[in-house]
Amino acid sequence: MKKTDTKTAVVKMLADNQFHSGQQLGYTLGVSRAAIAKHIKHLQELGLDIHSVQGKGYRLSNPIQLLSQPRIASLCERQGQGNIEVLNIIDSTNDHLKAQIPELNMGDVCLAEAQTKGRGRHGRTWVSPYGASLYCSMYWRFEGGFQAVNGLSLVIGLAIVSALKELGISGVGLKWPNDVYCQGKKLAGVLIEAEGQMESDCHCVIGVGLNIGLPESVVAIDQPWIDLQQTGNEVPERNVLAAALVRQLRHHVQIFAEFGLAPFHVAWCELDIYRDSPVRLLLADRQILGVGKGIDETGGLLLDITYADGTVGQERFYGGEISVRPA
Ligand code: BTN
């Protein structure tokens, strides 16, 4: 058995929430107690909350719902588009798909239990503890070069909200361009990576991270965050959530590939958490103060700006980080 398979097997055995001694785990999996101790240590470093009690062995501090490929695939079966791969521990699901682009079909998806090098936008790290969230990437090919994917990230934000709504989760909104927010904090993020030539096909890997129940040990997140457990909503089974996300991603991207952003414009503006709110937009060289007015037809951010002479004009922006303006 490969080391990664042994680690998966250890988690599967612990998933019954009972104590298991190192000796018993080692005997069942055909490895030494010392090897089990190493796997446990690595899993703890990956954010899985395992505690040990002298004379009893190891036990998970909180119940875990492991991802199941057959279950997710069967819940997506009727849609019948693309493969679904479930990995245990991977550097980044985006990197995993990017490495195989020539062999991929549109709608192919991979999900992982943990990422060791999860990446966010603007070069940030995406903290990806074991079994605590969804880490999901999907491949799609667009005709018409990079221009064809303008606005795609906004549509992915909508797809995430639709998956959550489908499962009865309320109180979520969108922060331009593609963060999913709840109670003023980030619940999910999107990282789209595109490869291709100007006029030819554009190969996109669309990555989504959705916080479900992050462990208390998570301290290294540099922005206000929330997970589904804290939102007060009933948290769906992790595989059901994964399947809803995959279905909605495929559905939304298919429509976007055919019709562009137009069919999503109204829905996006309705979910905009900064609509009619005073905001600050941080650009590379300056900051802009304005009032949020939704998005334009290409996905640019619209802001009403009051100029020095007291007149108000509307401007559009295509980059930068938006936040609520302090009073
Ligand atoms: C953001 O900064 O808001 C984007 C976060 C995107 C995280 C997801 S998790 C799955 C995929 N793999 C990665 O390495 N990143 C994305």
Side-chain angles (χ1 to χ4, degrees):
M1 200 187 272
K2 280 199 293 182
K3 273 187 184 165
T4 48
D5 297 338
T6 309
K7 232 182 285 299
T8 312
V10 169
V11 185
K12 280 190 178 155
M13 287 184 71
L14 292 176
D16 65 3
N17 252 33
Q18 303 299 313
F19 276 105
H20 295 270
S21 70
Q23 195 169 17
Q24 180 211 349
L25 290 167
Y27 179 75
T28 311
L29 302 175
V31 296
S32 67
R33 248 168 68 176
I36 292 293
K38 267 193 196 165
H39 285 303
I40 296 277
K41 185 162 177 281
H42 188 212
L43 287 163
Q44 286 168 327
E45 284 163 4
L46 287 167
L48 190 61
D49 217 345
I50 305 171
H51 67 270
S52 61
V53 172
Q54 190 102 40
K56 285 187 163 181
Y58 303 104
R59 193 170 83 155
L60 289 177
S61 303
N62 302 302
I64 190 169
Q65 293 171 342
L66 292 172
L67 294 174
S68 152
Q69 196 282 341
R71 177 133 167 82
I72 300 170
S74 82
L75 290 167
C76 293
E77 204 171 47
R78 281 181 51 206
Q79 202 177 30
Q81 185 180 40
N83 289 320
I84 296 173
E85 185 182 15
V86 171
L87 303 156
N88 191 32
I89 301 160
I90 190 80
D91 47 3
S92 149
T93 53
N94 266 28
D95 290 348
H96 180 72
L97 286 192
K98 272 164 66 183
Q100 322 168 44
I101 282 179
E103 290 94 55
L104 294 177
N105 294 308
M106 289 194 276
D108 281 354
V109 163
C110 87
L111 295 127
E113 294 289 6
Q115 296 184 121
T116 52
K117 289 187 184 145
R119 291 183 292 107
R121 293 174 68 230
H122 306 299
R124 291 193 180 109
T125 297
W126 188 258
V127 177
S128 309
Y130 196 102
S133 297
L134 288 181
Y135 317 113
C136 171
S137 298
M138 181 175 83
Y139 168 76
W140 208 275
R141 191 180 63 249
F142 295 87
E143 288 171 9
F146 288 104
Q147 215 166 319
V149 297
N150 271 345
L152 172 62
S153 68
L154 288 92
V155 172
I156 301 304
L158 271 175
I160 301 169
V161 175
S162 300
L164 295 171
K165 280 193 175 164
E166 184 187 318
L167 301 173
I169 293 162
S170 59
V172 282
L174 291 167
K175 180 185 143 187
W176 185 86
N178 52 21
D179 287 345
V180 177
Y181 261 56
C182 186
Q183 298 168 20
K185 296 175 199 158
K186 184 156 165 173
L187 178 65
V190 177
L191 177 68
I192 299 183
E193 298 184 278
E195 289 178 10
Q197 307 292 327
M198 280 317 266
E199 298 301 322
S200 66
D201 285 352
C202 181
H203 302 272
C204 280
V205 171
I206 301 161
V208 174
L210 169 61
N211 301 333
I212 299 180
L214 298 185
E216 277 167 25
S217 54
V218 165
V219 281
I221 302 184
D222 59 357
Q223 50 190 327
W225 61 270
I226 192 165
D227 57 29
L228 280 180
Q229 275 174 8
Q230 297 170 36
T231 64
N233 287 282
E234 196 172 318
V235 181
E237 198 224 307
R238 205 153 150 258
N239 287 301
V240 171
L241 193 55
L245 178 65
V246 170
R247 282 196 311 267
Q248 292 290 354
L249 285 175
R250 288 171 172 170
H251 176 68
H252 279 69
V253 173
Q254 204 160 28
I255 296 175
F256 175 80
E258 200 165 339
F259 304 105
L261 188 59
F264 302 104
H265 189 264
V266 171
W268 200 95
C269 291
E270 278 171 7
L271 286 164
D272 180 5
I273 60 167
Y274 289 150
R275 185 151 181 139
D276 297 323
S277 299
V279 293
R280 177 173 53 186
L281 181 69
L282 281 183
L283 300 173
D285 53 347
R286 66 206 158 113
Q287 63 168 0
I288 309 279
L289 302 181
V291 174
K293 290 290 163 191
I295 53 170
D296 70 5
E297 61 294 343
T298 62
L301 174 71
L302 294 174
L303 292 185
D304 272 359
I305 295 172
T306 307
Y307 302 111
D309 65 1
T311 59
V312 177
Q314 194 164 83
E315 295 188 23
R316 50 194 72 200
F317 298 88
Y318 297 95
E321 286 226 55
I322 187 175
S323 59
V324 70
R325 193 163 82 202

